[in-house]
Amino acid sequence: MRATTIHAPFDMRVEDVPDPVVVLPTDAVVRVLRACVCGSDLWAYRGEAKREPGQRIGHEFLGLVEETGSEVTGVRRGDLVVAPFMWSDGVCDYCREGLTTSCEHGGFWGSVGYDGGQGEAVRVPYADGTLVQLPADAASDDHLLSALLTLSDVMGTGHHAALGAGVRPGSTVAVVGDGAVGLCGVLAAKRLGAERIIALGRHQARTDIARRFGATDVVAERGDAAVEAIRALTKGQGAHAVIEAVGTEQSMKTAVDITRDGGAIGFVGVPHGSGTGLDLGVMFDRNIALRGGVAPVRTYIPELLPDVLDGTIDPSPVFDLTVGIEGVPGGYKAMDERTALKVLVTN
């Protein structure tokens, strides 16, 4: 089969690799119909996250089950399924508590020795605990497939941030970050009943999507100017709930500074930078809570799926460039150069 591999910074290749097969009785093999490139993939692309030469990559995909191991009972050949960005066994203590990203037997797609999502097929460990079945007729609906694909990561991650920030009906929410996760955070906040949603961003194509997703205000400033603008919009108080979807020291500092006393920050931006941006003294004095981390999207898929299927939420606009498998390296380049927000990969 064809699959995307990474060999060095900025050196992405689509190569012939062995077809995946069932190795363990709990495995399944899924033929990928849709995959995508994640903003977090760019850290490997830029050389800021270590990868072995030739390692697979990609962690968001959906497709059709081609083969199952003898112990798999939850899915069968021909089923349309979506995979969260980590596999999990579904039965360990962490999985039963909903924290599937801490599964005792879990792992990330594209880890050394495992398939990545940006290929033609994937061996799925612990298929029963990992895969979520989708309606069969969705396979013929391109638009719906794109929306469903976001459940593998960005929509669930935006939802995780909104929950961590304590978004509730009638609340004021600010979203730091105009990437796909931040935009899905806007959509998640709207879904949870936020009355006012302030999106921080300066790229009109992205802020247009934010408004479409439910943002009531857009702040283009950064740093201290952004803080002043948001406080001006909130009677000097700041937002009840702040979603941090970037992961830099500056973005976290901004998140703290725009949070209302007694409010909370939901952080899902993968941390990268020289420091945390946190001043615990400030957070203590102002009773600011901080919750978040790696999103257990497998837990959220059953909750979010009905709303995607009936059109209550439609995260598909985060995809603004579509490529075939051979075009994936160009997709990375487009996202790195910010000429694309999020790249959809079709097989």
mmCIF file of all heavy atoms in Angstrom, residues 14 22 33 37 40 49 79 87 119 122 138 161 164 178 223 225 227 251 262 281 283 288 310 314-315 333:
data_model
loop_
_atom_site.group_PDB
_atom_site.id
_atom_site.type_symbol
_atom_site.label_atom_id
_atom_site.label_comp_id
_atom_site.label_asym_id
_atom_site.label_seq_id
_atom_site.Cartn_x
_atom_site.Cartn_y
_atom_site.Cartn_z
ATOM 1 N N VAL A 14 5.648 9.808 0.154
ATOM 2 C CA VAL A 14 4.605 8.788 0.058
ATOM 3 C C VAL A 14 5.242 7.589 -0.623
ATOM 4 O O VAL A 14 5.712 7.680 -1.758
ATOM 5 C CB VAL A 14 3.393 9.307 -0.730
ATOM 6 C CG1 VAL A 14 2.326 8.222 -0.834
ATOM 7 C CG2 VAL A 14 2.815 10.552 -0.055
ATOM 8 N N VAL A 22 -3.856 -8.508 10.256
ATOM 9 C CA VAL A 22 -4.205 -8.804 11.641
ATOM 10 C C VAL A 22 -3.057 -9.575 12.281
ATOM 11 O O VAL A 22 -2.636 -10.621 11.766
ATOM 12 C CB VAL A 22 -5.513 -9.607 11.715
ATOM 13 C CG1 VAL A 22 -5.720 -10.186 13.106
ATOM 14 C CG2 VAL A 22 -6.696 -8.728 11.319
ATOM 15 N N LEU A 33 -10.663 5.849 4.118
ATOM 16 C CA LEU A 33 -11.382 6.651 3.140
ATOM 17 C C LEU A 33 -11.026 8.131 3.247
ATOM 18 O O LEU A 33 -10.922 8.829 2.247
ATOM 19 C CB LEU A 33 -12.894 6.494 3.321
ATOM 20 C CG LEU A 33 -13.499 5.117 3.076
ATOM 21 C CD1 LEU A 33 -15.006 5.173 3.296
ATOM 22 C CD2 LEU A 33 -13.181 4.621 1.669
ATOM 23 N N VAL A 37 -4.276 16.162 7.876
ATOM 24 C CA VAL A 37 -3.030 16.606 8.496
ATOM 25 C C VAL A 37 -3.394 17.479 9.682
ATOM 26 O O VAL A 37 -4.225 18.390 9.569
ATOM 27 C CB VAL A 37 -2.154 17.389 7.501
ATOM 28 C CG1 VAL A 37 -0.857 17.836 8.161
ATOM 29 C CG2 VAL A 37 -1.862 16.539 6.268
ATOM 30 N N SER A 40 -0.534 19.542 14.941
ATOM 31 C CA SER A 40 0.531 18.946 15.752
ATOM 32 C C SER A 40 1.503 18.122 14.903
ATOM 33 O O SER A 40 2.651 17.914 15.296
ATOM 34 C CB SER A 40 -0.064 18.078 16.864
ATOM 35 O OG SER A 40 -0.796 16.994 16.336
ATOM 36 N N ALA A 49 9.787 17.921 16.810
ATOM 37 C CA ALA A 49 9.411 16.689 17.502
ATOM 38 C C ALA A 49 10.148 15.545 16.797
ATOM 39 O O ALA A 49 10.054 15.394 15.588
ATOM 40 C CB ALA A 49 7.899 16.467 17.449
ATOM 41 N N ASP A 79 -17.970 -2.523 7.838
ATOM 42 C CA ASP A 79 -18.462 -1.424 8.673
ATOM 43 C C ASP A 79 -17.675 -0.143 8.408
ATOM 44 O O ASP A 79 -16.447 -0.163 8.244
ATOM 45 C CB ASP A 79 -18.335 -1.768 10.160
ATOM 46 C CG ASP A 79 -19.393 -2.740 10.644
ATOM 47 O OD1 ASP A 79 -20.363 -2.974 9.905
ATOM 48 O OD2 ASP A 79 -19.249 -3.273 11.766
ATOM 49 N N TRP A 87 -5.295 4.701 20.120
ATOM 50 C CA TRP A 87 -6.059 3.476 20.358
ATOM 51 C C TRP A 87 -6.107 3.204 21.853
ATOM 52 O O TRP A 87 -5.260 3.655 22.626
ATOM 53 C CB TRP A 87 -5.476 2.293 19.590
ATOM 54 C CG TRP A 87 -4.140 1.798 20.036
ATOM 55 C CD1 TRP A 87 -3.855 0.986 21.101
ATOM 56 C CD2 TRP A 87 -2.875 2.060 19.396
ATOM 57 N NE1 TRP A 87 -2.513 0.718 21.166
ATOM 58 C CE2 TRP A 87 -1.891 1.362 20.138
ATOM 59 C CE3 TRP A 87 -2.493 2.794 18.281
ATOM 60 C CZ2 TRP A 87 -0.536 1.396 19.802
ATOM 61 C CZ3 TRP A 87 -1.145 2.830 17.945
ATOM 62 C CH2 TRP A 87 -0.186 2.138 18.695
ATOM 63 N N GLY A 119 -2.303 7.031 5.203
ATOM 64 C CA GLY A 119 -1.966 5.932 4.315
ATOM 65 C C GLY A 119 -3.241 5.289 3.813
ATOM 66 O O GLY A 119 -4.354 5.744 4.116
ATOM 67 N N VAL A 122 -4.775 0.825 7.749
ATOM 68 C CA VAL A 122 -4.200 0.889 9.094
ATOM 69 C C VAL A 122 -4.545 -0.387 9.857
ATOM 70 O O VAL A 122 -5.698 -0.832 9.833
ATOM 71 C CB VAL A 122 -4.754 2.105 9.882
ATOM 72 C CG1 VAL A 122 -4.233 2.116 11.305
ATOM 73 C CG2 VAL A 122 -4.398 3.417 9.175
ATOM 74 N N ALA A 138 -23.345 6.955 5.315
ATOM 75 C CA ALA A 138 -22.468 8.126 5.351
ATOM 76 C C ALA A 138 -21.295 7.982 4.393
ATOM 77 O O ALA A 138 -20.695 8.975 3.973
ATOM 78 C CB ALA A 138 -21.952 8.353 6.772
ATOM 79 N N ALA A 161 -11.584 21.125 25.556
ATOM 80 C CA ALA A 161 -11.182 22.447 26.038
ATOM 81 C C ALA A 161 -12.363 23.209 26.611
ATOM 82 O O ALA A 161 -12.252 23.871 27.657
ATOM 83 C CB ALA A 161 -10.537 23.238 24.909
ATOM 84 N N GLY A 164 -13.171 21.760 29.952
ATOM 85 C CA GLY A 164 -12.162 22.152 30.926
ATOM 86 C C GLY A 164 -12.321 23.596 31.370
ATOM 87 O O GLY A 164 -12.057 23.941 32.533
ATOM 88 N N ASP A 178 -6.601 30.442 16.393
ATOM 89 C CA ASP A 178 -7.544 30.379 15.274
ATOM 90 C C ASP A 178 -7.250 29.210 14.341
ATOM 91 O O ASP A 178 -7.641 29.215 13.184
ATOM 92 C CB ASP A 178 -7.554 31.692 14.493
ATOM 93 C CG ASP A 178 -6.200 32.040 13.882
ATOM 94 O OD1 ASP A 178 -5.239 31.255 14.044
ATOM 95 O OD2 ASP A 178 -6.092 33.106 13.234
ATOM 96 N N GLY A 223 -1.155 39.876 22.513
ATOM 97 C CA GLY A 223 -0.450 40.328 23.709
ATOM 98 C C GLY A 223 -1.286 41.284 24.548
ATOM 99 O O GLY A 223 -2.501 41.105 24.723
ATOM 100 N N ALA A 225 -2.349 44.221 23.973
ATOM 101 C CA ALA A 225 -3.438 44.872 23.240
ATOM 102 C C ALA A 225 -4.671 43.980 23.189
ATOM 103 O O ALA A 225 -5.812 44.462 23.274
ATOM 104 C CB ALA A 225 -2.979 45.232 21.830
ATOM 105 N N VAL A 227 -5.476 41.726 25.451
ATOM 106 C CA VAL A 227 -6.039 41.738 26.808
ATOM 107 C C VAL A 227 -6.905 42.976 27.008
ATOM 108 O O VAL A 227 -8.034 42.905 27.514
ATOM 109 C CB VAL A 227 -4.914 41.683 27.855
ATOM 110 C CG1 VAL A 227 -5.494 41.800 29.271
ATOM 111 C CG2 VAL A 227 -4.126 40.375 27.723
ATOM 112 N N SER A 251 0.699 32.569 24.448
ATOM 113 C CA SER A 251 -0.736 32.281 24.384
ATOM 114 C C SER A 251 -1.295 31.929 25.761
ATOM 115 O O SER A 251 -2.418 32.314 26.102
ATOM 116 C CB SER A 251 -1.017 31.146 23.387
ATOM 117 O OG SER A 251 -0.420 29.944 23.803
ATOM 118 N N GLY A 262 -12.277 33.978 39.194
ATOM 119 C CA GLY A 262 -13.177 32.859 39.439
ATOM 120 C C GLY A 262 -13.454 32.013 38.213
ATOM 121 O O GLY A 262 -14.193 31.030 38.292
ATOM 122 N N GLY A 281 0.976 32.743 41.432
ATOM 123 C CA GLY A 281 0.519 33.767 42.368
ATOM 124 C C GLY A 281 -0.686 34.505 41.840
ATOM 125 O O GLY A 281 -1.666 34.745 42.566
ATOM 126 N N MET A 283 -2.798 33.352 39.551
ATOM 127 C CA MET A 283 -3.915 32.424 39.488
ATOM 128 C C MET A 283 -4.512 32.185 40.876
ATOM 129 O O MET A 283 -5.728 32.060 41.032
ATOM 130 C CB MET A 283 -3.465 31.110 38.856
ATOM 131 C CG MET A 283 -3.000 31.290 37.412
ATOM 132 S SD MET A 283 -2.458 29.765 36.644
ATOM 133 C CE MET A 283 -4.015 28.904 36.460
ATOM 134 N N ILE A 288 -8.297 31.448 39.587
ATOM 135 C CA ILE A 288 -8.392 30.942 38.223
ATOM 136 C C ILE A 288 -8.027 29.462 38.202
ATOM 137 O O ILE A 288 -6.971 29.064 38.727
ATOM 138 C CB ILE A 288 -7.467 31.733 37.279
ATOM 139 C CG1 ILE A 288 -7.964 33.177 37.142
ATOM 140 C CG2 ILE A 288 -7.390 31.070 35.908
ATOM 141 C CD1 ILE A 288 -7.044 34.070 36.348
ATOM 142 N N ASP A 310 -27.075 14.786 12.605
ATOM 143 C CA ASP A 310 -28.315 15.517 12.322
ATOM 144 C C ASP A 310 -28.076 16.967 11.922
ATOM 145 O O ASP A 310 -29.019 17.721 11.701
ATOM 146 C CB ASP A 310 -29.289 15.431 13.507
ATOM 147 C CG ASP A 310 -28.827 16.196 14.743
ATOM 148 O OD1 ASP A 310 -27.878 17.012 14.656
ATOM 149 O OD2 ASP A 310 -29.418 15.986 15.828
ATOM 150 N N ASP A 314 -21.608 21.302 12.464
ATOM 151 C CA ASP A 314 -20.932 20.920 11.217
ATOM 152 C C ASP A 314 -19.511 21.476 11.247
ATOM 153 O O ASP A 314 -19.288 22.623 10.866
ATOM 154 C CB ASP A 314 -21.682 21.436 9.999
ATOM 155 C CG ASP A 314 -20.957 21.097 8.686
ATOM 156 O OD1 ASP A 314 -20.025 20.260 8.714
ATOM 157 O OD2 ASP A 314 -21.314 21.686 7.646
ATOM 158 N N PRO A 315 -18.551 20.678 11.710
ATOM 159 C CA PRO A 315 -17.179 21.159 11.795
ATOM 160 C C PRO A 315 -16.419 21.101 10.462
ATOM 161 O O PRO A 315 -15.254 21.501 10.405
ATOM 162 C CB PRO A 315 -16.525 20.197 12.814
ATOM 163 C CG PRO A 315 -17.622 19.316 13.315
ATOM 164 C CD PRO A 315 -18.696 19.335 12.288
ATOM 165 N N LYS A 333 3.298 21.277 3.350
ATOM 166 C CA LYS A 333 3.915 22.550 2.978
ATOM 167 C C LYS A 333 2.890 23.679 3.059
ATOM 168 O O LYS A 333 3.177 24.771 3.574
ATOM 169 C CB LYS A 333 4.505 22.458 1.572
ATOM 170 C CG LYS A 333 5.312 23.672 1.119
ATOM 171 C CD LYS A 333 5.986 23.388 -0.224
ATOM 172 C CE LYS A 333 6.929 24.525 -0.627
ATOM 173 N NZ LYS A 333 6.210 25.777 -0.908
#
